[in-house]
């Protein structure tokens, strides 16, 4: 089990051999007897570390070796520049002010073209870039009002008297009003600010803003025509970023139309499924999407029990489209998973769970212990698992049982768990070959788009500077094999992915440096 111990044991045997070997040749004196052993040992340790780390045991196939040299040239250049100027290192900077510079990185541009497989942890209301949602505020029948200093938006045919509603289109006819209201609207849709470290001074400030954005955009993207386009756009942003498949976490929003009609959960799931089918028809090489029914963990027990009943119903009616169940929200403020353990335990044989767990820095708290409940409840994957290194039993268990940890680097940084992504615990998971996928959580809220930004942060900031194209390949493969697609679907998906991968490798190989 312990490599170092067994190597040192080997070394004592080797020493004898080496001594024999060396004494049989002429230049004994110039080497000394312990020197070769030391370097042999050192190399073996490095080699062992490489093989264990993500992608480290994959052989180079086809043209991958040459393509890799292109990629690594840029990676090494970028890292060695930052090594001399540490404040330039992008994963060490807050994403909210670094994303523009990330877009200029050659490594990032290569990653954009790389077939990344699947997004397995993204929240429906945050999967689309804020610019798109902002544009949706130019549609007809959108009203605005101000309530306790907060702006509200809602589509109506005729607005109710509940608030002093104004047709947004009318307000925008006045240039000055338009400018100030547009500014307020766009700021209310994103976490992006110029000085994120000061504005989001601690974890709760970030989370409060985060929740406020959801409240603000919910009525905009809940209007049925927008909701359909929004879902389609979410798939499109991923597809355009070379993602083939998604598992989308959603509490199933209450969609509405102009006549005040509200759609129930079944109707909404049906709408999302039809949009997915339409998207697949428009993009035949797209594999698809499934929903993970995900509710807030701040709710009463009765409510959560109701949601558990609901997911059983939804799974029965949409067996291929509903992947399973999860609970989300700021974990430190929510209830512990063990609150519903008995109920969930009974369900675990018939329902896949994808629990957010251990998204915390608070060692030994209930939030931290959620990791233990998650695996006891047979979770298929763990959302974040940020605290997992503190729980060796859980770590061993997920390795042995191939439970993937869904790493969402940018989310953890923006929401205040870690400042410099080199300190992210995912580094150790990459080093140890723990099953992991990289995902994006809520890209639309922080100026990210689809998956490439998180891949970039993981590849540059969290993996070894020696981690190469095989690590990215393994991440893509992981995202497919740890998905909730069926066995045959996984085989088909891997086939589609592989042909894209080969094209990508050939293009990269032929690219001039
Ligand atoms: C928003 O609308 C503007 C103006 O029509 C357009 O140029 C831009 O591409 C749109 N942005 C998105 C993300 O759809
Ligand atoms: Zn999440």
């Amino acid at each position: 089990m312990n490599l170092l111990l067994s190597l040192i044991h080997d070394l004592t045997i080797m020493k004898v051999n080496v001594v024999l070997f060396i004494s049989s040749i002429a230049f004994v004196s110039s080497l000394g007897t312990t020197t070769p052993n030391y370097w042999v040992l050192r190399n073996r340790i490095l080699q062992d570390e490489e093989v264990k780390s993500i992608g480290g045991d994959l052989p180079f196939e086809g043209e991958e070796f040459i393509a890799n040299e292109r990629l690594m040239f840029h990676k090494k250049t970028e890292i060695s520049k930052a090594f001399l100027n540490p404040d330039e290192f992008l994963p060490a900077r807050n994403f909210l002010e670094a994303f523009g510079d990330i877009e200029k990185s050659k490594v990032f541009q290569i990653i954009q073209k790389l077939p990344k497989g699947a997004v397995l942890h993204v929240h429906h209301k945050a999967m689309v870039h804020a610019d798109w949602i902002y544009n949706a505020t130019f549609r007809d029948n959108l009203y605005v009002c101000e309530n306790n200093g907060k702006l509200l938006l809602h589509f109506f045919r005729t607005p109710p008297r509940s608030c002093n509603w104004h047709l947004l289109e009318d307000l925008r006819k006045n240039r000055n009003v338009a400018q100030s209201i547009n500014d307020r609207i766009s700021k209310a849709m994103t976490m992006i600010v110029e000085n994120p470290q000061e504005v989001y001074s601690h974890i709760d400030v970030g989370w409060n803003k985060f929740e406020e954005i959801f409240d603000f955009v919910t009525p905009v993207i809940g209007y049925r025509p927008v909701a359909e386009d929004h879902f389609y756009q979410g798939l499109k942003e991923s597809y355009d970023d070379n993602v083939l498949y998604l598992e989308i976490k959603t509490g199933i929003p209450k969609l509405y139309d102009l006549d005040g009609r509200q759609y129930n959960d079944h109707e909404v799931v049906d709408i999302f499924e039809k949009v997915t089918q339409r998207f697949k028809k428009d993009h035949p090489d797209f594999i698809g999407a499934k929903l993970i029914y995900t509710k807030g963990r701040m709710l009463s027990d009765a409510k959560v029990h109701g949601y558990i009943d609901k997911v059983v119903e939804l799974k029965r009616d949409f067996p291929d489209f509903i992947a399973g169940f999860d609970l989300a929200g700021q974990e430190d403020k929510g209830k512990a998973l063990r609150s519903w353990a008995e109920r969930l335990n009974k369900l675990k044989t018939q329902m896949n769970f994808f629990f957010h767990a251990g998204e915390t820095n608070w060692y030994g708290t209930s939030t931290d212990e959620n990791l233990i409940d998650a695996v006891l409840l047979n979770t298929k994957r763990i959302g974040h698992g940020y605290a997992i290194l503190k729980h060796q039993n859980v770590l061993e268990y997920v390795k042995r049982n191939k439970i993937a940890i869904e790493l969402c680097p940018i989310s953890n940084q923006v929401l205040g768990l870690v400042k410099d992504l080199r300190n992210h615990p995912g580094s150790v998971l990459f080093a140890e070959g723990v099953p992991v996928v990289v995902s994006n959580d809520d890209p639309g809220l922080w100026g990210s788009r689809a998956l490439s930004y998180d891949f970039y942060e993981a590849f540059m900031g969290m993996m070894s500077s020696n981690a190469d194209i095989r690590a990215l390949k393994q991440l893509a493969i992981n995202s497919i094999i740890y998905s909730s697609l069926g066995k045959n679907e996984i085989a088909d998906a891997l086939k589609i992915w592989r042909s894209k991968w080969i094209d990508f490798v050939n293009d990269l190989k032929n690219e001039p440096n």
Side-chain angles (χ1 to χ4, degrees):
M1 197 187 95
N2 188 322
L3 170 86
L4 207 54
L5 281 182
S6 72
L7 276 182
I8 287 167
H9 174 74
D10 285 1
L11 179 71
T12 30
I13 298 167
M14 209 158 45
K15 196 167 179 179
V16 178
N17 295 336
V18 172
V19 171
L20 287 175
F21 172 70
I22 289 177
S23 53
S24 71
I25 48 178
F27 46 85
V28 179
S29 59
S30 69
L31 276 173
T33 50
T34 55
T35 311
N37 299 342
Y38 182 89
W39 297 110
V40 168
L41 176 59
R42 191 176 185 284
N43 273 335
R44 281 189 59 188
I45 292 173
L46 282 174
Q47 259 172 25
D48 184 75
E49 283 188 358
E50 185 192 327
V51 170
K52 259 198 201 148
S53 69
I54 182 160
D57 59 347
L58 291 178
F60 283 105
E61 290 178 328
E63 309 288 344
E64 282 172 7
F65 189 81
I66 305 171
N68 186 52
E69 289 191 335
R70 297 260 185 282
L71 171 69
M72 293 309 278
F73 169 77
H74 296 295
K75 179 171 178 177
K76 297 275 177 189
T77 306
E78 224 173 279
I79 288 182
S80 43
K81 259 178 83 183
F83 195 69
L84 299 174
N85 305 283
D87 58 334
E88 280 178 19
F89 191 51
L90 297 168
R93 283 167 52 192
N94 191 302
F95 182 78
L96 292 170
E97 54 90 15
F99 65 90
D101 288 337
I102 291 178
E103 286 158 10
K104 293 180 207 142
S105 149
K106 187 74 188 139
V107 174
F108 174 75
Q109 291 160 11
I110 292 171
I111 287 175
Q112 282 187 302
K113 294 183 196 141
L114 183 137
K116 286 168 283 291
V119 163
L120 298 184
H121 183 142
V122 65
H123 295 267
H124 160 252
K125 285 183 186 170
M127 69 176 176
V128 170
H129 197 280
D131 288 353
W132 187 93
I133 301 177
Y134 176 76
N135 278 4
T137 68
F138 289 85
R139 298 196 188 196
D140 293 344
N141 299 303
L142 184 61
Y143 286 79
V144 60
C145 88
E146 188 160 357
N147 190 11
N148 287 332
K150 268 192 192 163
L151 227 44
L152 305 177
L153 296 174
H154 202 286
F155 288 90
F156 297 110
R157 192 177 318 276
T158 325
R161 300 240 173 89
S162 57
C163 192
N164 191 12
W165 292 102
H166 294 278
L167 189 64
L168 186 54
E169 193 185 345
D170 286 346
L171 295 184
R172 279 173 167 156
K173 282 176 186 152
N174 177 321
R175 234 217 243 155
N176 290 333
V177 176
Q179 202 164 33
S180 87
I181 202 150
N182 288 346
D183 191 48
R184 280 185 74 184
I185 289 174
S186 56
K187 283 199 173 118
M189 288 182 168
T190 179
M191 292 188 73
I192 299 173
V193 289
E194 269 167 30
N195 47 347
Q197 311 279 23
E198 288 154 50
V199 175
Y200 306 120
S201 52
H202 63 86
I203 184 163
D204 288 2
V205 186
W207 269 93
N208 286 344
K209 172 70 183 179
F210 179 75
E211 307 278 0
E212 272 176 24
I213 297 173
F214 281 121
D215 291 344
F216 184 64
V217 301
T218 293
V220 179
I221 60 177
Y223 173 46
R224 181 183 173 166
V226 178
E228 292 189 8
D229 294 350
H230 172 265
F231 198 90
Y232 193 95
Q233 177 69 14
L235 302 182
K236 182 166 188 301
E237 288 184 10
S238 292
Y239 178 82
D240 289 346
D241 194 40
N242 291 301
V243 168
L244 291 171
Y245 169 76
L246 295 93
E247 291 183 6
I248 300 164
K249 295 179 189 275
T250 174
I252 321 261
K254 297 257 171 288
L255 303 188
Y256 68 96
D257 64 22
L258 282 189
D259 300 317
R261 174 167 174 216
Q262 283 215 346
Y263 293 79
N264 68 34
D265 292 337
H266 280 67
E267 291 169 320
V268 174
V269 173
D270 192 54
I271 288 169
F272 288 167
E273 189 173 35
K274 294 216 163 81
V275 173
T276 307
Q277 282 160 358
R278 176 156 56 87
F279 190 88
K280 271 187 70 155
K281 222 171 124 210
D282 298 346
H283 307 86
D285 56 344
F286 181 69
I287 290 161
K290 289 182 198 278
L291 304 182
I292 296 172
Y293 187 56
T294 304
K295 284 306 203 179
R297 58 187 341 135
M298 335 296 194
L299 303 162
S300 69
D301 288 357
K303 275 224 157 115
V304 172
H305 286 153
Y307 294 134
I308 294 170
D309 294 337
K310 175 63 77 181
V311 71
V312 173
E313 242 176 65
L314 290 169
K315 179 78 186 164
R316 182 195 63 209
D317 296 345
F318 301 90
D320 295 329
F321 193 49
I322 297 286
F325 185 64
D326 184 13
L327 291 160
Q330 187 178 0
E331 213 173 320
D332 293 328
K333 305 276 188 231
K335 284 209 191 161
L337 211 42
R338 65 163 187 264
S339 321
W340 312 288
E342 306 267 342
R343 183 76 176 77
L344 291 167
N345 201 37
K346 283 184 202 136
L347 195 64
K348 71 180 182 189
T349 50
Q350 43 166 317
M351 180 70 59
N352 277 330
F353 297 138
F354 304 89
F355 292 123
H356 281 72
E359 185 185 1
T360 186
N361 274 330
W362 290 105
Y363 185 18
T365 60
S366 62
T367 318
D368 184 62
E369 288 177 11
N370 279 342
L371 281 165
I372 295 162
D373 298 284
V375 294
L376 284 176
L377 291 168
N378 225 359
T379 197
K380 186 168 163 60
R381 296 190 300 265
I382 294 177
H384 296 288
Y386 190 88
I388 197 167
L389 297 184
K390 298 160 190 161
H391 300 274
Q392 285 301 309
N393 288 323
V394 178
L395 196 57
E396 278 304 312
Y397 187 89
V398 301
K399 270 198 222 174
R400 211 170 325 121
N401 294 285
K402 302 256 173 258
I403 297 170
I405 310 298
E406 301 161 351
L407 299 171
C408 305
I410 298 170
S411 170
N412 298 149
Q413 188 189 50
V414 170
L415 291 175
L417 287 183
V418 59
K419 283 199 166 75
D420 180 339
L421 283 169
R422 287 172 296 178
N423 294 326
H424 194 290
S427 285
V428 181
L429 306 183
F430 288 136
E432 300 269 304
V434 176
V436 286
V437 294
V438 166
S439 202
N440 54 7
D441 215 10
D442 304 279
L445 266 56
W446 41 70
S448 177
R449 189 182 257 109
L451 192 52
S452 289
Y453 296 83
D454 282 281
F455 258 55
Y456 174 83
E457 300 278 23
F459 186 57
M460 296 297 288
M462 290 157 60
M463 291 180 189
S464 161
S465 66
N466 300 313
D468 59 30
I469 201 168
R470 296 168 304 155
L472 297 169
K473 185 183 186 185
Q474 187 69 58
L475 274 187
I477 293 172
N478 283 359
S479 74
I480 295 171
I481 62 180
Y482 295 120
S483 74
S484 34
L485 290 167
K487 246 194 190 141
N488 295 335
E489 290 172 309
I490 287 178
D492 291 346
L494 282 173
K495 216 163 134 194
I496 294 173
W497 171 80
R498 197 169 291 279
S499 95
K500 289 179 184 294
W501 176 261
I502 290 168
D503 290 347
F504 161 74
V505 166
N506 283 332
D507 288 351
L508 180 55
K509 185 198 87 175
N510 293 325
E511 215 173 81
N513 255 337

